[in-house]
Amino acid sequence: GDSALGLGLDEEVKVTKQRQPVAKLDESRLLSQAGIPKLRQSARRKLKFKGKGHEFSDAARLLNFYQLWLDDLYPRAKFVDGLAMIEKLGHSKRIQVMRREWIDEEKPRPFDSSE
Amino acid sequence: GHDVQVVDPDVRGYVYGLVTALGGFNGEDADRYVLGDDALACLRDIKRWLKLYDEKNNRMDVARCLGEANLINGDILPILGLWWATGQKSKHMTRISLACLELLVPLTWPVEFHSQMTVNHHRHTPYIQQTQVQYKRGILKYGGSNLLRAIIRIALPSMVTARSEREARDEGILKLMLYFLRNIAIISPNTRLAAEGEEEETSRSATINAFHDQDAFALLLTMCSNVGEDFNLQDIILMEIIFHIVKGVNVEKLFMDDDQRKVKRTDELSELLKKENSVRREYAKNAPTRHGRFGTMIWVKRDDAKVSTVSGQDVLRDDQTTLHKMDQTKKWNKPKPRRKQDDAIQNSNFNMPAHLNSEATKNLRTFVEEFLDSGFNPLFTHVRKAIEREAERVLDINTRQFFYTVGWFLEAERVRRAWQSRQRAAQSAGRTKDIEPDSYGLVAGVLNQETFISLNRAMQTSLDNKEWQDLNAQMRCFTQVLLTVQEMAMSPLEEDQEIAENIQNRIFYEETTHDRILAIVRGYKDQGFGYLDACTELAHVFLRMLERYSKDNADMQIRSRRKAKRTQKKADKGIEDGANDDEERDSEDEDEVEAAQVTKERSFDFKRFAAKFCNQSCVDTFVTFTGFYKELNSEQLKRAHRYFYRIAFKQEMTTLLFRVDIISLFYRMIKGPGPMDSSKSVFKEWEELVRQIIRRMIKKLDQRPALITEMLFSKINSTVYYLEFGHEKQTSYQS
């Protein structure tokens, strides 16, 4: 090759393709509309239990509910894996603050919340 | 043909020459091994090669050459056979036989993969492991002659010499002989390498039978029962041999009559068949009823008019299978961190069960009984002292082996007593003859304050230094101590009862012991199943015994060591709040205060102690354990059941169990896919427990909608009380 011109025309231009970043199940995804907010809404709307005498079918209903929700939120992970990932996120500061808030929302007496 | 020279050809040449010159089978009388003219010198030269080339340069070349030259099976064993048959009177032959033993010990010395290996080690280790198995096969079964017996014979003159008159050479010979027996006990076919020939010939059973037939057990018994007097320096190595013989052997099965064992085995077989059947039924339930290309596909309607597709006829059955299949078809798996394997696996793999054939069972049982009767106390008392004194002959690994072996034999003694009383009952069927009950004196050597102190100290050290396998052995030992004491308390002998009372008092007196058990259970994090099994069992046994004991002794006192109150100090400091100098002085003061611990007695409250096991990390440990439910036996399933029962109904903390993964596991155990064996009685208990837990959960979900999000997470201490009871804790104290 005649590269004496020094223009670098002959040199191949290296194109390193950026790998498509893999979607992550992180705090912001969990707190996004498809995450916990949706879980709370649809639980209120859809989850109905039969109660005493139907323990196992109720449990199945509950587990399926969570599985479908998780499948929507993060289709990549299997149910058990997804649960483990979310559990881990629950230790972070941000999520803990949010968890406290969700609980406080339903507490009857507001004056108890000062700690 | 070697394409690559892995060993220096000169070295190979020298070594081969020496092996050839050693002797061989004569051409005329092909059955007879004929010694070379300078056999003794050859043996000594080979030894020198091993020492000055292999050992000095940290290589394994000579050992490998000797393996390839078939020195052991081709020469050493025939020479020893010759000595046994005809040469025992000849001084020359005796010297040669001793030189043979001096080669046998280094060549059978266990080689392992460890962290400080050179390229050379990596190259030779698998080969040498393989040849050592062949050595063992040859030694256990050489023609018709008794090679183990021959080797014991070599050491006999040194053994009968009184200890005071023994010379360093005699002690050396004894050491060689015992190390040889230990090496033979250790060598086992490497599971990672392909087996060559019959594996049964080098199995634990074969070892035990050879030890029995060729009087190695008799030798061990003699030496163990005289360990304090005639055999002072041999204690550790004797214990090591016994450790490698009994590790992983199931004590229950050891003490069964042939009939019982047959019944047990049939039970096991039918249980296995049943298990297989249920697996098959489980499959048949969901198996396609038509051919594989029938091509069913269904839609799962989702929210927002979305659908998912799942294929296969099985999904038509019900929602559960459909959703299960949806989940199973996902390809991605969460990467799991793998734990680094322990260095010395072969040396201490007591978590692996060892199976014995019926002859070996009988032989080992005889040995174990005789050992308990005569050797147990002298040997273990002596070994404990050596370990405490940090005698030079004690290696780190020996402590682990000590605790494991003590635990094993305590269990053996308990099971033996039960076995004996069963037998007696059968013999004197109907007649209630008075039989003198035996005392627990046979194992008293490890039921004393000194042993408890060293066990406690060792457990604390292992816990602090994260030496999990050591802790595993110590936990097993402690559990067995507790169980033995529990049985002693029920003994008809008043003396035993008193001793048991005393021991329990001592064990339960120290609050540090209680806290340690708690710390162990809380601290589980993938240390492996054996460890998990040991720590859950310990917690189970400890809690139950403590519960009973504190009930019987309502005014039980414990010694609690607490750091002096620092909060008070800090408050005082807050008032002063001076310059830097002051602060520094204060922090010095604080250190001093921290060093000074306040020791005081206070009355023990079991309920409060049990409440400490009520936290997420303990629950997680037991959940992990329960996750193995398909492999657990009834006793283990009961252990987990009792724990969760305690959490849910005794301590009223069901909230801790309200996590989707836990509920999903419990559901799976009862309803599948892959449920527990429903014909077992423990299944019913579990089914009821799970039902109750779910019922409470559903109720709670109604009362507190926030639980729907909290179900995803481990609960925070500050909210768990509210979730359970619906209001904040009144007092401000934290447990």
Short mmCIF file of all heavy atoms in Angstrom, two decimals, chain B residues 253-263 365 419 422-423:
data_model
loop_
_atom_site.label_atom_id
_atom_site.label_comp_id
_atom_site.label_asym_id
_atom_site.label_seq_id
_atom_site.Cartn_x
_atom_site.Cartn_y
_atom_site.Cartn_z
N LYS B 253 -27.11 -46.71 60.49
CA LYS B 253 -27.08 -47.95 59.71
C LYS B 253 -26.06 -48.94 60.26
O LYS B 253 -26.19 -50.14 60.09
CB LYS B 253 -26.74 -47.64 58.25
CG LYS B 253 -27.94 -47.20 57.47
CD LYS B 253 -27.61 -47.11 56.00
CE LYS B 253 -28.62 -46.21 55.31
NZ LYS B 253 -28.12 -45.74 54.03
N LEU B 254 -25.02 -48.39 60.92
CA LEU B 254 -23.98 -49.26 61.46
C LEU B 254 -24.54 -50.16 62.53
O LEU B 254 -24.19 -51.34 62.63
CB LEU B 254 -22.86 -48.38 62.03
CG LEU B 254 -21.53 -49.03 62.30
CD1 LEU B 254 -20.95 -49.59 61.03
CD2 LEU B 254 -20.57 -48.02 62.91
N PHE B 255 -25.42 -49.59 63.36
CA PHE B 255 -25.95 -50.38 64.46
C PHE B 255 -27.34 -50.90 64.12
O PHE B 255 -28.33 -50.52 64.70
CB PHE B 255 -25.99 -49.54 65.74
CG PHE B 255 -24.64 -49.36 66.33
CD1 PHE B 255 -23.89 -48.23 66.06
CD2 PHE B 255 -24.09 -50.33 67.15
CE1 PHE B 255 -22.62 -48.07 66.59
CE2 PHE B 255 -22.83 -50.17 67.69
CZ PHE B 255 -22.10 -49.04 67.41
N MET B 256 -27.37 -51.76 63.16
CA MET B 256 -28.62 -52.41 62.82
C MET B 256 -28.32 -53.88 62.65
O MET B 256 -27.25 -54.25 62.18
CB MET B 256 -29.17 -51.86 61.50
CG MET B 256 -29.90 -50.55 61.66
SD MET B 256 -30.60 -50.09 60.10
CE MET B 256 -31.17 -48.45 60.48
N ASP B 257 -29.26 -54.70 63.02
CA ASP B 257 -29.09 -56.12 62.74
C ASP B 257 -29.21 -56.31 61.24
O ASP B 257 -29.74 -55.46 60.55
CB ASP B 257 -30.19 -56.93 63.43
CG ASP B 257 -30.23 -56.61 64.91
OD1 ASP B 257 -29.15 -56.34 65.45
OD2 ASP B 257 -31.33 -56.60 65.49
N ASP B 258 -28.73 -57.47 60.81
CA ASP B 258 -28.80 -57.73 59.38
C ASP B 258 -30.24 -57.63 58.89
O ASP B 258 -30.51 -57.08 57.83
CB ASP B 258 -28.22 -59.11 59.06
CG ASP B 258 -26.72 -59.01 58.85
OD1 ASP B 258 -26.23 -57.87 58.69
OD2 ASP B 258 -26.05 -60.05 58.85
N ASP B 259 -31.14 -58.19 59.73
CA ASP B 259 -32.54 -58.17 59.32
C ASP B 259 -33.05 -56.74 59.19
O ASP B 259 -33.67 -56.37 58.20
CB ASP B 259 -33.40 -58.93 60.35
CG ASP B 259 -33.09 -60.40 60.32
OD1 ASP B 259 -32.55 -60.85 59.29
OD2 ASP B 259 -33.38 -61.08 61.31
N GLN B 260 -32.72 -55.98 60.25
CA GLN B 260 -33.17 -54.59 60.23
C GLN B 260 -32.63 -53.87 59.02
O GLN B 260 -33.32 -53.10 58.36
CB GLN B 260 -32.67 -53.86 61.47
CG GLN B 260 -33.50 -54.09 62.70
CD GLN B 260 -32.86 -53.38 63.87
OE1 GLN B 260 -31.66 -53.52 64.11
NE2 GLN B 260 -33.64 -52.60 64.56
N ARG B 261 -31.33 -54.13 58.77
CA ARG B 261 -30.73 -53.43 57.65
C ARG B 261 -31.38 -53.85 56.35
O ARG B 261 -31.59 -53.04 55.46
CB ARG B 261 -29.22 -53.71 57.62
CG ARG B 261 -28.48 -52.57 56.95
CD ARG B 261 -26.98 -52.71 57.04
NE ARG B 261 -26.55 -53.08 58.35
CZ ARG B 261 -25.94 -54.23 58.62
NH1 ARG B 261 -25.71 -55.10 57.66
NH2 ARG B 261 -25.56 -54.51 59.85
N LYS B 262 -31.71 -55.15 56.31
CA LYS B 262 -32.38 -55.63 55.10
C LYS B 262 -33.72 -54.91 54.95
O LYS B 262 -34.07 -54.44 53.89
CB LYS B 262 -32.57 -57.15 55.19
CG LYS B 262 -32.34 -57.84 53.87
CD LYS B 262 -32.45 -59.35 54.02
CE LYS B 262 -31.13 -60.00 54.39
NZ LYS B 262 -31.28 -61.39 54.82
N VAL B 263 -34.44 -54.85 56.07
CA VAL B 263 -35.72 -54.16 56.05
C VAL B 263 -35.53 -52.71 55.63
O VAL B 263 -36.22 -52.18 54.77
CB VAL B 263 -36.40 -54.23 57.43
CG1 VAL B 263 -37.62 -53.33 57.45
CG2 VAL B 263 -36.79 -55.65 57.76
N ARG B 365 -18.40 -52.19 63.02
CA ARG B 365 -19.17 -52.11 64.26
C ARG B 365 -18.39 -52.75 65.42
O ARG B 365 -18.31 -52.21 66.51
CB ARG B 365 -20.53 -52.79 64.10
CG ARG B 365 -21.42 -52.57 65.30
CD ARG B 365 -22.81 -53.07 65.02
NE ARG B 365 -22.84 -54.51 64.86
CZ ARG B 365 -23.63 -55.15 64.00
NH1 ARG B 365 -24.43 -54.46 63.22
NH2 ARG B 365 -23.60 -56.44 63.91
N TRP B 419 -29.49 -49.57 70.66
CA TRP B 419 -29.45 -50.88 70.00
C TRP B 419 -29.40 -52.00 71.05
O TRP B 419 -30.13 -52.98 70.97
CB TRP B 419 -28.23 -50.91 69.09
CG TRP B 419 -28.08 -52.14 68.27
CD1 TRP B 419 -28.98 -52.65 67.40
CD2 TRP B 419 -26.94 -52.99 68.23
NE1 TRP B 419 -28.47 -53.77 66.81
CE2 TRP B 419 -27.23 -54.01 67.30
CE3 TRP B 419 -25.69 -53.00 68.87
CZ2 TRP B 419 -26.32 -55.02 67.00
CZ3 TRP B 419 -24.79 -54.01 68.57
CH2 TRP B 419 -25.10 -55.01 67.65
N ARG B 422 -32.63 -52.46 72.82
CA ARG B 422 -33.58 -53.15 71.95
C ARG B 422 -33.32 -54.65 71.96
O ARG B 422 -34.23 -55.45 72.08
CB ARG B 422 -33.45 -52.61 70.52
CG ARG B 422 -34.42 -51.52 70.17
CD ARG B 422 -34.65 -51.44 68.66
NE ARG B 422 -33.44 -51.51 67.87
CZ ARG B 422 -32.69 -50.43 67.56
NH1 ARG B 422 -33.04 -49.25 67.98
NH2 ARG B 422 -31.60 -50.57 66.82
N GLN B 423 -32.04 -54.98 71.85
CA GLN B 423 -31.68 -56.40 71.81
C GLN B 423 -32.07 -57.09 73.10
O GLN B 423 -32.59 -58.20 73.10
CB GLN B 423 -30.18 -56.54 71.59
CG GLN B 423 -29.80 -56.46 70.12
CD GLN B 423 -28.35 -56.81 69.93
OE1 GLN B 423 -27.50 -56.48 70.77
NE2 GLN B 423 -28.04 -57.48 68.86
#
